[in-house]
Structure formats: structure tokens, C-alpha cells
Amino acid sequence: MSPDLTPGIVHRRGRLRVYLGSAPGVGKTYRMLDEAHRRRDRGAEVVVGFIETHGRKHTAGMLDGLEVVPRIRRHYRDAEFEEMDLDAVLARRPSVVLVDELAHTNIPGGRNAKRWQDVEELLAAGIDVITTVNIQHLESLNDVVRKITGIPQRETVPDEVVRRADQIELVDMAPQALRRRMAHGNVYKAEKVDAALSNYFRVGNLTALRELALLWVAGRVDEGLRDYRAAHSIDRVWETRERVVVALTGGPEGETIIRRAARIADRTAGGDLLAVHVTRSDGLAGASPGALAQQRQLVEDLGGSYHMVVGDDIPTALLAFARAHHATQLVLGTSRRGRINRFLTGPGTGQTTVDASEDIDVHMVTHEFTGRSRLVPKLGPRHSKRRSIAGFAAGLVVPTLLTAVLSQFHNSVNLTTDALIFQLGVVVVALLGGATSALLASLVASLQLNYFFIPPVHTFTIDETNNFIALIVFAVVALTVSTVVDHAGRLTTRAARATAEAESLSTLAGSVLRGADALPALLDKTRTAFGLDSVALLGRDGGTIARSNGDGEPAADHTVTELPAGPDALLILAGRRVSAADQRVLTAFAAHIAAALERDRLATAAAEVEPIKAADKMRTALLAAVSHDLRTPLAAALAAVGSLLSADVEFAPADRDELLTMANESLLKLTALVDNLLDMSRLQAGALTLHLEAAQLDEVLPRAMDSLADPDAAVQPLDLDTAPPVLADPPLLERVLANLIANALRHNAPGAPVLVTASHHADQVEIRVVDRGPGIAPEDRDRVFLPFQRLGDTDNTTGVGLGLALSRGLAEAMGGTLEVEDTPGGGTTMLLTLPAATQVEEEQ
């Protein structure tokens, strides 16, 4: 049934309010019902579409006074289930409807597979919806939650559905408080509480889920703020959170300013540290890749992120990056140039950045390398418009100034000296403005040298041939020198460009080699390195494989560039126009991306094969065990039972008892072996259920010895009664001790007892099972814990080699460890470490 929309009337879309929980049981449904009562009291028409109380009396009590739409019943697989009656709610057309558990999968039979699709219909009909969902059910966090809790979430909701909500309210609770609620029976039934507290609802799990929820909501708030600023054309920086950008040149002062910036970011909670290195052809090309790598590592160690951008104007590139990331503060090091250098070249990067920073605070950090650069700056021939104008002005002013100065020493300085000084002036102009400025300077210098210094002075007439030749040579040398300087500058520029490209590729490769998720890391580096708005990797079918989007708004001159990334993918670059000089480096980036994509495909294929390989290995070992080790007790039991059933032989009572004993012992061996195999399979599948409690070692050890083949074996306990109780599952601890003691008895020296001792260290209890056997070589200590490994034993009648492997698995499942030590004087000591069961405050 579709919503009843009257033709010709425009229905507004309903508003969605989501109560987002950090974990089950934090009170989302209760808060939703409380909001429903508040709206009802204000006159809103509120109905309950679907509420799941989970038997919680306080939640169920909140339903009193609210209209509940009857649920619809559906049959599925010989059972009957209740679902929200979507059509009934649409027909009722309330102003507000409550729909619990947004990620729920509907029972087959309705028109929508998911409950969030039902909610979409309600919103399209103009009905406001209040709903709930837990953070673990968001699609983008599904794999993260599985890694944290070990439990996959089969019911998920697309993030975009929740992001589109008009209001999102986080329902949160401290892990300890939530565990107290569970212990009091306010979340789950009593029989489920212990298992829940020891598995999904561990403090670490709840803390991690809480952080995920806070970060997701914070990201949603950032998105809303960016949308608001874009809608209202707000370009100013809003200092809602400190974001500190530190500019790196690759110089020796880098570590000092990084640490200073980190201290600034740490002054406020949630401050971000971003480091940026601007690569350009005429400024930072001399930066050491090794120094930048060390500085990058320092930034990441301090919790920041490293970025690299390409820009011909460093102050502009720095401020553009800072504004794109909504930075509130920008940290730079003071100039390494000396005073004369600054006088000749004017204000540097720091001063220019300060002048253009507007609402971004700029910190100039002093350091020990301030003012220690070379006297003559390294200037390349590719200049900005400002530098070109300055070069032409210098071509006019420098010869004129030299003329004014040399005129004062006309009687003491000869023509040769005058020409050489003018020659030096032309070289300086060439360094400043390039070949064209030097050509102008040489022309002006030639005219002034002729007019003021070559007789007859104050005329352009030359009387002597030597002076004419000297003037011609001066002009030729000036032009030649300026051309050479300009050519050298161009070569320097090319070398700088190559260095910048090498730095980009080195940084790119480094981010992947350090273990970053390859494709996202490569796309992020491509976008930031070339100042693009977004970079996307598409398959040949048009589907998006990976994408990297910038934080800033798209540029006005937004252009799209396409590059092939291997035979099956296409790299889409959106943003500024990519120059021909950048095409070569982009091709190398695309090649890296193609290689990473192929590696991901190979890794996926290998991951699919690995479980099959492991299962095959385990199956082979299991078949070998069954065929070899299980056959002997099975054959003995069959022989004994077969003999007893034979009507041809009359057995004496003693012989009958012996056959029954043989059958019983053989079946007990079979049972023990099968139990070990089943427990090992449960451990490997993560399906072993634990019930941890305080266990006294002096009570557990006797029960462990009763399960040995020879309960009267020489086992000597020591200091067990003085050790504190351990936090363990008692039956599993019995299995571990029994396996360790049986292994020690098997390898112990004849006549020597096996010692079982315990000691308490901090919050750990160490249990040692000591034998005086031949010991285990250091290189074999890890092998003894592998399934079906028996270190070359020829006696295969005593087990399948699972005892130690199972013992270590059970110990780790209980939060402990199992290691091998040498026994002083010879032998092997198995060291079992378990947490002490310290007195825990009763959670009230």
C-alpha cells in the first residue's frame, strides 16, 4: 500500500530524529519514549509504530498513555513473528510515529526488506519519525566493530540514512555504569548477564564503541558546520576547535617548530596537528628528503598528520592549505637568511604569510639556525611578476647608482676598474631578474660608461680605438655572463623540479610501505600533492573503487582530468588544471595506484585461498590423527567387546573383568582425544564459551589429577594453598593442569616427582609444572604448542599432539599465557600465568 497523497497538494517530507546509542542498553528507547510524552503533552499526535522493550519494566512502563498501532503477524519457517504494520501507520497518518531498531531486518512478506526502508516511506508521506540505532549497526563501522568485539553485525543501516536525519542525539553511558545496569538485570535476563559481561560488554569493548560513537557524531557535526558556512558564504575561520598547521621546509629547524606546534595543539582538548611541506621549483627544492622523512615520523609520533602540496608561491600555498583544513593557527620557523640577504631580496615567506593571514594566527618560532644561511641567496631565473619588475628596475637603477658612486672617485680609479665594477653590477642584475634584465643593464651600463668615463666624457663620441674595443668587449662579456647565469638558473630550476618530483614519489611510496591502506593513501597523496579538490579511482564499468575528497569547497575553475591506472581502472582528477609539467609525475602516481590496485586484488585472492589452505592442513592432520592415534584404542575396545559377545568362549570372571577394563580404558582414551579435538576446533572458531570466576588452585589440582590415566602418579604440590585465587573457568583450568601434568609425567626422569608450584606477582599468579626430563631445545619451544606436533616422538599411542596446543589456547582464552622455561638442573618448566581474582567492588 502506498502513501495516500492527494493529487495537486504538495506534502512536506517528514522530519527524522535519531537516538544513536554507543551500545545496547544505554537507554535509547527510554529516551525516545520520554520525547514522545513531551510531544504528546504539547499537543502533537504521537503513535507507537514499533517498540521493542526486551522485557525491561521501566521501558514498558513508558508506553502507558501512548497510542500503539497493532502489529502485524507473519509466519516464517514454522514460527510466527510480529512486525510493524506499515500500511496501518500510513492509513492512521499521525504527526509523529515511534519506530524502534532502525537497522532491523523485516520478516519476509512485506514490501520492504529493511525497517529503515519503512521509515523512508513514512518520511515521504510527511510523517515525522523518531527512531533508534546503535553505533555498531552503521554500515561503515561494521568491520571495525567486528575487530573490536569479535562479533559480526548482520543487521546494518547505510550511514547516509542516518546522516540525512534532521536531528541526531547521542545516548551515551560510562562502561562501568552500563555494566552495573546489566548486573542489576536492567538490560538482559539474569541467565544472559554473565556471558554478556565477559564477552561483548567488556570494559575495553564498551570504551572503544563509545569512542566510535563520539567520533562519528563529531564528524556529523563538522559536516553540518561546513554546510552552514557554505550556505551562508562564510569564509572566515571559526575557532570551534584548534587546528594547528606547521610549515616544514626540510631544514634543521624542523624538529623545534614541530614540537612547538604540538604543544600549541595540546593546550586544548581535541586539537589537531597538521604538518605541510610546500614543494616548488624555486624555493624548497633543496630540502633533504631524509630530513623531511625524519620530521614526518616525528609529526606522526606526536599524533599529527603529514601533507605535501605543490605551489609556486609558498605563502599562498600555505594559507590555502590552512583555510581548506579550517586551521586556526599557523606555525613557521623564522628565516635562516641573514640580514644582507633579507635586505637584497625583501620580505621572506614568514612576513608575507603574516601580511596575508587575515583571521589565522601566525606564530614565528625562533630557533638556533635563525640568520645562518648563505650571504648570496639561491635565486632561479623563473621569477614571479614582482621579481621581473624588480629586475627591470634594477637594470636601470644599478648602473645609475654605480655611475654616481664611481664619479666621486674618477681621478683615482681607471677605466679598467670602472668597467669591471659595471660588469659586476650586470651580473647582480642577472641573478635578480634574469637574462632580459641583464641585457637592459648591460645596455644602460655601456651607455653610461661611454658618456661618463670614456674620453671625451659627457659625449657619446669615442676618440681612441682601444676604448671603443674595450666598450664592445664589455658589452659582449656582459651579455655572455648574463646568458650563462640565466642558463645556469634554468638548469637549477629543472634540477629543483626533479627533486620536488622525487620527494613527492618518495613520500608517496613511504606512506604505502609504512603499512597505510594502500589505495586511500595513494589517492590522498595525489590530491594533496597537486592541490586538487578530489581524486577518484573508477573501474572500467564506472563503479567507484576508492575516492579522496578535500575539506575545502571546489574551485571556481573546476576541471576534470582522466588518466589510465592500469588496464582496468581510470583515475579521475577534479580541481585545478593540471600543467604539462605535472603530467609526468601524475603518470608515475597512476602507475603506483595501478600497482596497489593489483596488489589488493592479489591479496584478496590470497586471503580467500588461505582459509581453504588452513582447513586442508587441519583436515590432513586430523585424518592422520584419526587413522593412527584413534585407531589403537578403538581397535582395543572393539576387540574386548567382541570377545565378550562371543558365544564360543567361556571367560572366567577375572578374564571378563580384564576385558571390560580394557574396553573402558580404550573408550576413555577415545573420549579424551575427541574432547581435545572438539575443544581445539572451538578455540580456532572462537566459539568457546567461558565462565570466569575466582578459583582456588588447591581445590582445582585434585580434580585435575583425578582425570589422569594414573591418579596415583608422583605429583608434588607446593605453596598452592598460600596463592591467591585466580580468575579462570574452573573446568577449563582443570583441563589445562591435567594436560600439563600428563605431559610432564610422560617426559619426567624415573623416580622424580612432578612439582606443581604457585607464586603471586602484582596482579598475576604464576603456576609452574616442573619435570626433570631431557628438556626442550630453545628452537623447538614454539613448535610444542602447534597442533599435531610431537617433536619426533615415535610413541604415537599416547595422544595426537593436541595437549599443549589446547592448553595454550585455553590459557589465552582465560586471559593468561603459557610459556616454556628451563628447569634449573635440567628439565622443562611449563609456566602458566593467570590474572589474580582480586576483590572487585560490588557495582551498585
Side-chain angles (χ1 to χ4, degrees):
M1 179 176 176
S2 301
D4 182 15
L5 301 179
T6 305
I9 299 178
V10 178
H11 292 263
R12 72 167 182 88
R13 179 177 173 83
R15 297 176 61 83
L16 176 63
R17 182 182 184 125
V18 176
Y19 285 94
L20 177 66
S22 58
V26 295
K28 304 178 303 302
T29 305
Y30 190 94
R31 292 278 290 276
M32 178 174 64
L33 289 167
D34 185 60
E35 172 67 12
H37 281 281
R38 188 181 67 84
R39 295 197 183 194
R40 186 204 61 182
D41 294 342
R42 291 189 315 180
E45 190 179 11
V46 181
V47 303
V48 175
F50 188 94
I51 290 292
E52 182 57 71
T53 64
H54 296 287
R56 301 164 190 166
K57 60 181 181 180
H58 297 296
T59 304
M62 291 293 290
L63 287 170
D64 293 343
L66 295 176
E67 178 185 347
V68 179
V69 176
R71 301 181 183 184
I72 190 172
R73 306 181 72 86
R74 292 197 177 103
H75 294 273
Y76 181 67
R77 293 185 177 179
D78 300 326
E80 194 171 73
F81 301 90
E82 291 185 341
E83 290 283 8
M84 180 178 70
D85 192 339
L86 176 60
D87 293 331
V89 175
L90 290 171
R92 175 66 178 77
R93 295 194 61 79
S95 58
V96 182
V97 62
L98 309 184
V99 182
D100 208 0
E101 298 184 351
L102 183 63
H104 172 74
T105 300
N106 290 332
I107 298 299
R111 61 174 171 271
N112 294 320
K114 293 285 189 176
R115 185 166 290 164
W116 64 263
Q117 294 170 324
D118 293 342
V119 169
E120 286 293 318
E121 283 200 33
L122 294 171
L123 295 172
I127 301 173
D128 293 346
V129 177
I130 305 177
T131 187
T132 65
V133 68
N134 283 326
I135 190 68
Q136 69 264 25
H137 293 298
L138 294 181
E139 181 64 46
S140 66
L141 300 177
N142 186 262
D143 56 338
V144 179
V145 173
R146 179 174 54 82
K147 290 177 182 178
I148 293 172
T149 64
I151 300 174
Q153 300 293 331
R154 294 180 175 85
E155 292 187 328
T156 60
V157 59
D159 288 46
E160 188 59 29
V161 173
V162 183
R163 288 183 187 277
R164 288 200 303 264
D166 300 279
Q167 289 179 284
I168 299 177
E169 183 172 332
L170 178 64
V171 183
D172 189 22
M173 183 177 289
Q176 294 80 2
L178 179 55
R179 287 171 59 86
R180 280 197 299 270
R181 288 194 65 192
M182 295 195 63
H184 294 159
N186 294 332
V187 179
Y188 291 149
K189 295 181 179 179
E191 61 269 19
K192 295 183 178 181
V193 170
D194 290 340
L197 289 175
S198 59
N199 289 280
Y200 190 90
F201 287 85
R202 294 195 297 269
V203 172
N205 288 357
L206 296 176
T207 303
L209 291 173
R210 190 184 193 194
E211 183 176 10
L212 279 178
L214 291 170
L215 290 174
W216 193 92
V217 173
R220 175 67 173 79
V221 172
D222 275 349
E223 289 177 8
L225 182 60
R226 284 200 299 270
D227 293 343
Y228 178 85
R229 294 182 59 189
H232 292 79
S233 301
I234 300 174
D235 297 326
R236 301 188 312 276
V237 174
W238 283 7
E239 298 181 7
T240 54
R241 182 172 62 177
E242 292 290 355
R243 289 185 173 91
V244 182
V245 173
V246 54
L248 301 181
T249 67
E253 77 284 358
E255 294 188 3
T256 300
I257 63 173
I258 289 171
R259 291 191 173 92
R260 182 74 175 97
R263 291 196 295 272
I264 294 173
D266 288 341
R267 288 174 184 171
T268 57
D272 293 335
L273 175 64
L274 300 91
V276 59
H277 169 61
V278 180
T279 300
R280 71 172 193 177
S281 60
D282 63 349
L284 300 181
S288 167
L292 282 174
Q294 293 177 356
Q295 292 170 16
R296 173 181 185 148
Q297 186 62 50
L298 176 60
V299 170
E300 294 176 348
D301 290 344
L302 292 172
S305 59
Y306 177 88
H307 306 266
M308 187 177 67
V309 299
V310 175
D312 292 329
D313 188 308
I314 293 178
T316 301
L318 283 177
L319 291 171
F321 176 85
R323 290 192 174 96
H325 289 79
H326 307 295
T328 56
Q329 304 192 53
L330 181 59
V331 180
L332 298 88
T334 53
S335 176
R336 298 195 303 270
R337 299 178 304 154
R339 293 181 180 179
I340 298 177
N341 194 327
R342 293 196 294 271
F343 174 77
L344 292 175
T345 59
T349 299
Q351 186 59 48
T352 306
T353 304
V354 171
D355 294 342
S357 62
E358 297 179 352
D359 51 358
I360 298 178
D361 297 336
V362 179
H363 299 261
M364 299 297 297
V365 178
T366 58
H367 49 83
E368 58 180 318
F369 303 98
T370 300
R372 294 190 180 184
S373 67
R374 304 189 319 174
L375 176 62
V376 179
K378 296 193 294 181
L379 301 176
R382 295 183 181 178
H383 308 302
S384 63
K385 184 177 180 180
R386 182 178 176 183
R387 283 277 298 280
S388 298
I389 294 174
F392 277 103
L396 295 172
V397 173
V398 170
T400 303
L401 290 176
L402 290 177
T403 299
V405 173
L406 291 174
S407 297
Q408 304 300 320
F409 304 96
H410 181 67
N411 295 327
S412 58
V413 177
N414 59 26
L415 180 61
T416 303
T417 303
D418 293 336
L420 289 175
I421 292 175
F422 273 107
Q423 186 71 67
L424 177 61
V426 172
V427 172
V428 171
V429 173
L431 287 171
L432 181 63
T436 305
S437 300
L439 177 62
L440 176 62
S442 64
L443 178 61
V444 175
S446 300
L447 293 174
Q448 294 189 0
L449 185 65
N450 181 12
Y451 188 82
F452 290 101
F453 300 101
I454 296 178
V457 296
H458 301 136
T459 68
F460 290 105
T461 303
I462 301 176
D463 289 345
E464 296 184 11
T465 305
N466 288 338
N467 291 341
F468 178 75
I469 295 173
L471 183 61
I472 296 301
V473 170
F474 167 79
V476 171
V477 171
L479 290 173
T480 303
V481 169
S482 62
T483 302
V484 170
V485 169
D486 185 72
H487 181 65
R490 292 182 182 276
L491 292 178
T492 302
T493 300
R494 292 177 184 175
R497 178 72 186 184
T499 302
E501 293 173 356
E503 289 175 6
S504 299
L505 294 175
S506 175
T507 304
L508 182 72
S511 65
V512 178
L513 292 176
R514 274 190 296 272
D517 201 4
L519 282 176
L522 289 171
L523 295 183
D524 284 342
K525 294 303 174 185
T526 303
R527 178 179 56 80
T528 57
F530 295 97
L532 301 169
D533 294 333
S534 65
V535 177
L537 184 64
L538 306 182
R540 290 296 181 183
D541 57 355
T544 301
I545 300 174
R547 178 182 293 275
S548 173
N549 294 317
D551 292 332
E553 296 297 322
D557 56 345
H558 186 92
T559 60
V560 176
T561 305
E562 296 184 0
L563 283 176
D568 300 322
L570 198 63
L571 193 61
I572 306 298
L573 313 171
R576 69 178 183 86
R577 186 177 300 278
V578 178
S579 65
D582 289 334
Q583 286 283 351
R584 181 175 67 257
V585 187
L586 274 173
T587 302
F589 273 57
H592 275 280
I593 292 171
L597 181 60
E598 183 62 24
R599 188 178 66 180
D600 282 356
R601 289 174 178 168
L602 293 175
T604 301
E608 293 174 352
V609 172
E610 193 62 30
I612 300 174
K613 179 180 176 182
D616 184 65
K617 181 178 179 181
M618 180 63 71
R619 183 167 53 251
T620 301
L622 181 59
L623 289 174
V626 171
S627 63
H628 201 289
D629 293 297
L630 300 184
R631 184 171 56 187
T632 300
L634 182 60
L638 288 174
V641 174
S643 298
L644 291 171
L645 292 175
S646 175
D648 300 332
V649 180
E650 187 70 28
F651 291 101
D655 294 335
R656 180 179 295 275
D657 290 342
E658 183 178 354
L659 289 173
L660 288 173
T661 301
M662 179 189 301
N664 183 60
E665 291 177 351
S666 299
L667 292 175
L668 288 176
K669 289 181 179 179
L670 279 175
T671 301
L673 292 174
V674 171
D675 285 344
N676 281 344
L677 289 170
L678 290 175
D679 284 343
M680 180 58 66
S681 66
R682 291 192 187 100
L683 276 175
Q684 292 179 339
L688 189 67
T689 301
L690 297 176
H691 298 282
L692 300 180
E693 60 184 59
Q696 291 287 351
L697 295 176
D698 56 350
E699 297 176 0
V700 174
L701 181 62
R703 295 196 295 269
M705 293 181 61
D706 289 342
S707 64
L708 297 175
D710 182 8
D712 298 325
V715 178
Q716 181 181 348
L718 189 64
D719 298 331
L720 296 187
D721 55 344
T722 61
V726 297
L727 187 63
D729 187 312
L732 296 184
L733 180 57
E734 292 174 20
R735 295 281 302 280
V736 173
L737 291 176
N739 285 337
L740 295 180
I741 294 172
N743 183 74
L745 289 171
R746 187 179 304 116
H747 299 285
N748 199 22
V754 170
L755 296 180
V756 181
T757 67
S759 58
H760 183 210
H761 299 282
D763 57 350
Q764 302 286 326
V765 176
E766 295 181 348
I767 307 164
R768 287 176 169 82
V769 179
V770 184
D771 69 56
R772 293 291 179 178
I776 300 174
E779 61 270 18
D780 291 331
R781 288 180 180 175
D782 286 334
R783 287 181 54 206
V784 299
F785 295 109
L786 296 177
F788 310 109
Q789 298 294 321
R790 306 187 56 200
L791 297 185
D793 284 355
T794 56
D795 178 16
N796 290 318
T797 65
T798 56
V800 295
L802 278 178
L804 293 181
L806 181 60
S807 297
R808 171 174 275 189
L810 294 176
E812 292 176 349
M814 292 185 291
T817 61
L818 179 61
E819 304 294 339
V820 179
E821 292 182 349
D822 288 327
T823 301
T828 300
T829 297
M830 290 292 176
L831 174 61
L832 173 63
T833 304
L834 291 171
T838 54
Q839 185 68 28
V840 181
E841 279 187 323
E842 188 179 45
E843 296 180 64
Q844 296 295 338

